[in-house]
Amino acid sequence: MKDKIVVALGGNALGKSPLEQLELVKLTAKPIVDLIADGHEVVLAHGNGPQVGMINLAMSTAAGSEAGTPEMPFPECGAMSQGYIGYHLQNAIREELLNRDLQIPVATVITQVIVDKDDPAFKNPTKPIGAFYSKEEADELIKTKGFVMIEDAGRGYRRVVPSPLPVDVAEKETVMALVEKNHVVISVGGGGIPVIQEGNKLIGVPAVIDKDFASSKLAEILDADYLIILTAVEKVAVNFGKEDEKWLSELSIADCNKYIEEGHFAPGSMLPKVKAAMAFAESKPGRKSLITSLEKAAEGIAGKTGTVIVAN
Ligand code: ADP
Ligand code: MG
């Protein structure tokens, strides 16, 4: 059966540096193109934590040095990361498609994701970004730039930004039109550029939207059949990393709620994936979510591995 699939790529699909990424995306492209070759419509989303952190750090370091380059606001750093990650992905996927004699266009859509200006996350910034600073430097940044700075696990002070929930995707019609024309689209990179809507204006805000939640929202909006979250583990586990660790093949919404309650999924890593998978599975009958590893994507789709999340 031909499915519309939103695939969310995790950090392991992109690596730690631009040059590593350029190599790694060649491997990432293979399971993606397997899905396309099987006739599925594929929309790709991806994370950008290390990449946007690197851009932000480089830009703020250069701005504070003798080079005296201009300040680069955080939403612009996010847009830059979408640009170069998208470039690498579309480049690698295009080549892999052509190697299999598939003439299918691939493009990245720089994507703004609308967030609620009253999202409680804005009152409680939790996501550390960029460099580590001394107490004195941190105090200076709080005073001069109004940043929120926290002490990060004994390693120094870091800027934290809010992580609001995605409400809507500004470029959704464009993504839909391209999907209908059978193009492979890369969208909501890094969870999307977070924007607040004021009348006709969309205003970028310094925040990071979780890429798993943004992918789930995009899948809902596109009326996808499947949300596939590709990460570093083949399945979701209970008692993860412990002696009685147990890998799960299927999770109902009730199971998810129970295991969340019992604290089996680490906040900031597996918890957002399970929540994003649940939200999509629950949004309409017939929708399914799958969490598995990049390497096992094809087997996962074939129902041979991974953790499937379905509504009760
Ligand atoms: P990504 O970059 O793909 O978002 P994350 O590192 O944020 O990856 O999240 C995936 C990681 O979550 C896994 O590699 C694993 O180490 C961790 N993890 C935490 N809790 C669990 C769990 N219950 N089952 C499986 N993996 C878990
Ligand atoms: Mg993650």
Side-chain angles (χ1 to χ4, degrees), residues 196-207:
I196 283 169
Q197 190 153 26
E198 272 180 26
N200 288 342
K201 287 190 214 290
L202 295 178
I203 302 161
V205 288

Side-chain angles (χ1 to χ4, degrees), residues 9-11 47 127 210-212 229 231 268-270 272-273:
L9 296 172
K127 182 87 187 169
D210 184 277
K211 72 110 178 27
D212 297 312
I229 300 177
T231 185
S269 62
M270 191 45 78
K273 294 186 201 313

